[in-house]
């Protein structure tokens, strides 16, 4: 009589299928089964040089929560598919009685997912390269445009200078056009406009080139250091939470991919030679205007050489040339003394450029020809 | 004849025996449990500087390590086609068995204001030496349905308050 129920239960199993179990347990050294972890949450703070901060949530495997999974089946076909992420977290657990179809589908799905992942990674890498190239091209185009604007402005100034010199020379010639004065005035207006444009173009180019060089870490030839990201462990407690820094923030080497960008221009005063004559009304010598390729912080006249006489002119206060840096920091005005004899003069200057706190001294020579 | 009746009864009794069980675990239960472990989610509020003098707040549902649970699919003489999906230790597909607390929007808005005012009060003492560390608050609801915040700014490894993040050398 007792055998009947046992037989009946066995019959029931055989009629309807199986006993299937998923067995999980805390992982020990010898625990069988597929291992997986539960996560420990971290906040990763990545600072940028501009003072902004990127905040990311990161999940890392928590060794205190390592478990195993095992499946067992009795009297039946069952498929168990356990997939994990690359970090060791459980992704999915699937139990299905239709083993063949499910296995096939899971295999296909898994392959599709892997293929999609590979495609996505390749697309991402391609996109990053394209972005980097586009950024480099953009920088190069901006610098080239600024350079062209500067060249055009320089040409305009040279044309205006040449016109004025020509008109001045024509003034002394017999049979000069009657409207020469108007033409000189128009040429001076054009010269002033060209100078303003040149100064603006030069400043734009200088700052753009300097910014690009700074952004590119000195063309990639010099390594720099930057503070590393900060890891904050999210320490969960009952009805509370703490975020705790896991280690002290240190600095690590970094660098920037070099890009084909020209370095900022060297210091140069131009025109390096010019002619000055007395003004019509005041009879004072017209000021000489020279421009610098980089912003000038200080300027110091060191010597004046009278080329014709072959000797230096004594720099007596009130008798020496007056030199002043204009507001734009790239224009320098030189006023020669009213009674300066005609002839050629070499003015040697020491200019301070670079950092405001500690200007770098650079020597430059300006040649002036005084005509009377 | 009697045997067939017993077999039929056994089949009926065993035929419906398939499904999922889920239960919370403490340390003792965790050691002996045979299910698949996962963390329940809990709501948190993350506050950090936007670098423009303001603050950014984000509502996060994080896997809560204080809420360890176990889920176990079983099938005794029955079919049980089950798929459990997980996301960073959280059970994501069987949402019906996850005790994910829904927080009213107005409550979130109110809590954000409280958290931001706390963060601003502390930011005033920063001294401008670096980027202020973020704040993380747990959003807690008591038995009476009152919402509150627990937590605060990030602390150093020594547990001292607070520190700043260097952004350049």
């Amino acid at each position: 009589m007792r055998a009947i129920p046992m037989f009946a239960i066995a019959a029931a199993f055989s009629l309807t299928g199986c006993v299937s179990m998923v067995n999980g347990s805390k992982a020990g050294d010898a625990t069988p089964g597929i291992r997986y972890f539960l996560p420990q949450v971290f906040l990763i703070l990545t600072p940028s040089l501009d003072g902004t901060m990127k905040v990311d949530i990161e999940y890392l495997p928590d060794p205190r929560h390592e478990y195993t999974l095992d499946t067992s089946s009795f009297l039946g076909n069952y498929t168990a598919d356990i997939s994990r992420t690359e970090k060791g977290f459980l992704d999915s657990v699937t139990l299905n009685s239709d083993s063949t179809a499910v296995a096939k589908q899971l295999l296909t799905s898994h392959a599709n997912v892997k293929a999609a992942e590979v495609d996505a990674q390749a697309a991402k890498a391609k996109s990053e390269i394209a972005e980097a190239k586009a950024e480099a091209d953009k920088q190069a185009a901006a610098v080239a445009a600024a350079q062209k604007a500067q060249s055009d402005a320089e040409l305009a100034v040279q044309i205006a200078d040449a016109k004025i010199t020509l008109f001045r020379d024509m003034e002394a010639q017999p049979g000069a056009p009657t409207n020469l004065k108007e033409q000189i005035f128009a040429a001076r207006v054009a010269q002033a406009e060209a100078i303003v444009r040149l100064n603006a173009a030069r400043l734009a180019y200088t700052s753009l080139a300097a910014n690009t060089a700074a952004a590119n870490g000195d063309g990639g030839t010099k390594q720099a250091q930057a503070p590393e990201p900060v890891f904050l462990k999210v320490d969960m407690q009952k009805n509370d939470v703490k975020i705790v820094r896991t280690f002290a923030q240190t600095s690590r080497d970094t660098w920037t991919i070099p890009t084909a960008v020209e370095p900022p221009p060297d210091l140069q005063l131009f025109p390096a030679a010019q002619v000055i004559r007395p003004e019509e009304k005041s009879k004072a010598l017209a000021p000489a205007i020279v421009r610098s390729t980089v912003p000038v912080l200080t300027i110091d006249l060191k010597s004046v050489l009278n080329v014709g006489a072959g000797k230096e002119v004594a720099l007596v206060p009130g008798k020496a040339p007056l030199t002043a840096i204009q507001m734009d920091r790239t224009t320098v005005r030189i006023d020669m003394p009213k009674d300066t004899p005609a002839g050629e003069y070499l003015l040697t200057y020491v200019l301070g450029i670079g950092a405001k706190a500690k200007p770098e001294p650079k020597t430059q020579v300006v040649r002036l020809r005084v005509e009377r | 004849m009697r045997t067939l009746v017993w077999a039929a009864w056994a089949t009926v009794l065993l035929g419906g025996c398939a499904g999922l069980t889920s239960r919370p675990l403490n340390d003792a239960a965790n050691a002996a449990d045979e299910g698949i472990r996962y963390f329940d989610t809990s709501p948190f509020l993350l506050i950090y500087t936007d670098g423009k003098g303001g603050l950014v707040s984000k509502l996060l549902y994080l896997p809560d390590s204080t809420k360890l649970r176990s889920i176990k699919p079983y099938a005794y003489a029955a079919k049980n086609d089950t798929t459990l999906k997980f996301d960073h230790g959280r059970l994501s597909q069987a949402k019906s068995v996850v005790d994910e607390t829904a927080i009213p929007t107005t409550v979130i808005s109110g809590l954000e204001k409280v958290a931001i005012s706390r963060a601003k009060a502390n930011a005033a003492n920063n001294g401008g030496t670096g980027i202020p560390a973020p704040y993380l608050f747990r959003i807690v609801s008591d038995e009476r349905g009152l919402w509150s915040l627990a937590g605060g700014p990030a602390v150093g490894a020594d547990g001292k308050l607070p520190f700043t993040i260097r952004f350049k050398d």
Side-chain angles (χ1 to χ4, degrees):
Chain A
M1 186 65 187
R2 182 174 285 235
I4 291 172
M6 293 305 292
F7 172 74
I9 290 169
F13 274 125
S14 62
L15 283 171
T16 56
C18 65
V19 176
S20 296
M21 302 288 286
V22 173
N23 300 310
S25 60
K26 200 142 176 37
D29 288 344
T31 313
I34 296 168
R35 287 174 183 249
Y36 69 97
F37 292 90
L38 291 182
Q40 167 63 54
V41 184
F42 285 88
L43 297 178
I44 300 179
L45 317 173
T46 310
S48 298
L49 288 175
D50 61 2
T52 57
M53 176 175 67
K54 187 165 164 271
V55 180
D56 292 305
I57 299 166
E58 189 58 67
Y59 303 90
L60 299 180
D62 186 348
R64 296 168 303 173
H65 286 286
E66 183 181 5
Y67 302 96
T68 62
L69 270 187
D70 214 352
T71 58
S72 58
S73 184
F74 177 66
L75 287 177
N77 286 329
Y78 247 78
T79 298
D81 181 82
I82 297 166
S83 68
R84 299 181 305 167
T85 65
E86 62 182 10
K87 290 181 183 173
F89 302 146
L90 268 187
D91 186 38
S92 67
V93 176
T94 303
L95 295 174
N96 201 300
S97 56
D98 186 1
S99 59
T100 315
V102 170
K104 193 175 174 184
Q105 186 188 343
L106 287 174
L107 200 63
T108 309
S109 302
H110 190 65
N112 287 344
V113 168
K114 279 290 168 199
E117 280 175 5
V118 170
D119 287 350
Q121 282 172 359
K124 191 182 170 203
K126 196 175 171 184
S127 164
E128 283 172 354
I129 291 168
E131 277 176 21
K133 188 176 180 308
E135 184 59 29
D137 289 350
K138 195 176 156 191
Q139 279 184 0
V143 171
Q147 217 169 14
K148 186 177 181 306
Q150 184 177 290
S151 301
D152 291 349
E154 277 171 358
L155 183 63
V157 170
Q158 284 170 7
I159 291 169
D161 286 348
K163 272 187 181 175
I164 290 171
T165 306
L166 176 68
F167 293 153
R168 287 276 200 185
D169 289 344
M170 287 170 68
E171 253 184 327
Q173 304 292 325
T178 51
N179 65 342
L180 205 54
K181 283 186 178 169
E182 286 81 4
Q183 288 195 45
I184 290 173
F185 177 73
R188 279 193 166 164
V189 170
Q191 183 195 40
E193 185 184 335
I195 288 170
V196 170
R197 286 185 189 282
L198 176 61
N199 289 338
R202 183 167 291 130
L203 272 180
Y205 172 69
T206 304
S207 58
L208 181 65
N211 288 344
T212 308
N216 289 330
D218 200 16
T221 56
K222 187 178 163 187
Q223 276 204 333
Q225 286 213 321
E228 65 189 6
V230 174
F231 275 66
L232 298 178
K233 181 182 170 190
V234 179
D235 183 11
M236 303 208 178
Q237 297 159 5
K238 185 77 176 170
N239 289 331
D240 200 0
V241 67
K242 277 185 181 174
I243 38 177
V244 184
R245 187 169 60 176
T246 49
F247 48 81
Q249 186 188 20
T250 57
S251 293
R252 305 284 179 192
D253 286 343
T254 181
W255 89 313
T256 311
I257 299 169
T259 51
V261 173
E262 284 192 12
D266 290 333
L267 172 66
Q268 193 185 346
L269 291 181
F270 72 97
Q274 57 184 293
V275 177
I276 53 173
R277 296 186 180 89
E279 299 276 8
E280 272 187 30
K281 287 182 182 173
S282 66
K283 303 300 178 191
L285 287 169
I289 303 293
V290 293
R291 282 166 291 276
S292 165
T293 49
V294 296
V296 178
L297 301 170
T298 60
I299 188 163
D300 209 4
L301 178 62
K302 286 297 178 189
S303 66
V304 177
L305 177 68
N306 186 331
V307 178
K311 62 179 183 181
E312 285 197 1
V313 177
L315 299 177
V316 181
K319 297 278 185 183
L322 293 174
T323 309
I325 305 167
Q326 303 299 294
M327 292 287 284
D328 60 12
R329 293 271 164 208
T330 58
T331 305
V332 175
R333 176 182 167 138
I334 303 168
D335 285 288
M336 293 295 281
K338 191 175 180 180
D339 55 354
T340 304
E344 278 201 14
Y345 296 87
L346 292 181
L347 285 72
T348 304
Y349 286 101
V350 174
L351 292 90
I353 60 169
K356 207 171 183 179
K358 194 180 176 186
E360 183 188 356
K362 293 276 183 184
T363 302
Q364 291 285 307
V365 176
V366 175
R367 180 184 290 263
L368 296 180
R369 192 175 75 187
V370 177
E371 290 185 353
R372 292 189 174 275
Chain B
M1 182 64 188
R2 185 173 282 183
T3 303
L4 280 176
V5 171
W6 272 106
W9 270 110
T11 304
V12 170
L13 286 171
L14 294 171
C17 208
L20 295 167
T21 57
S22 173
R23 64 169 185 148
L25 297 177
N26 56 27
D27 285 346
N30 187 29
D33 190 81
E34 293 186 339
I36 304 167
R37 298 342 185 260
Y38 66 95
F39 287 142
D40 250 1
T41 54
S42 288
F44 294 86
L45 202 54
L46 175 66
I47 310 277
Y48 57 94
T49 176
D50 65 356
K52 299 171 190 169
L55 291 167
V56 177
S57 69
K58 283 184 180 172
L59 180 66
L60 306 173
Y61 282 93
L62 298 177
D64 188 344
S65 60
T66 66
K67 294 181 178 175
L68 180 64
R69 295 185 68 93
S70 155
I71 190 165
K72 186 170 172 64
Y74 62 88
Y76 300 105
K79 282 188 178 181
N80 186 4
D81 295 346
T82 303
T83 297
L84 302 173
K85 289 203 172 177
F86 298 88
D87 173 30
H88 295 110
R90 296 166 290 198
L91 184 61
S92 60
Q93 193 185 53
K95 279 188 177 174
S96 58
V97 295
V98 179
D99 180 22
E100 188 169 296
T101 314
I103 309 174
T105 313
T106 50
V107 172
I108 293 171
S109 172
L111 291 174
E112 276 179 343
K113 283 178 186 168
V114 172
I116 285 174
S117 63
R118 282 196 209 173
K120 277 185 177 170
N122 283 325
N125 300 322
N126 173 20
T129 53
I131 306 172
Y135 293 72
L136 186 67
F137 298 95
R138 181 191 280 274
I139 300 175
V140 183
S141 170
D142 67 12
E143 292 158 352
R144 294 170 295 166
L146 294 175
W147 297 91
S148 60
L149 293 174
V155 295
D158 55 359
K160 287 183 183 171
L161 290 172
F163 68 94
T164 56
I165 295 135
R166 285 188 302 111
F167 61 94
K168 62 181 175 184
D169 287 327

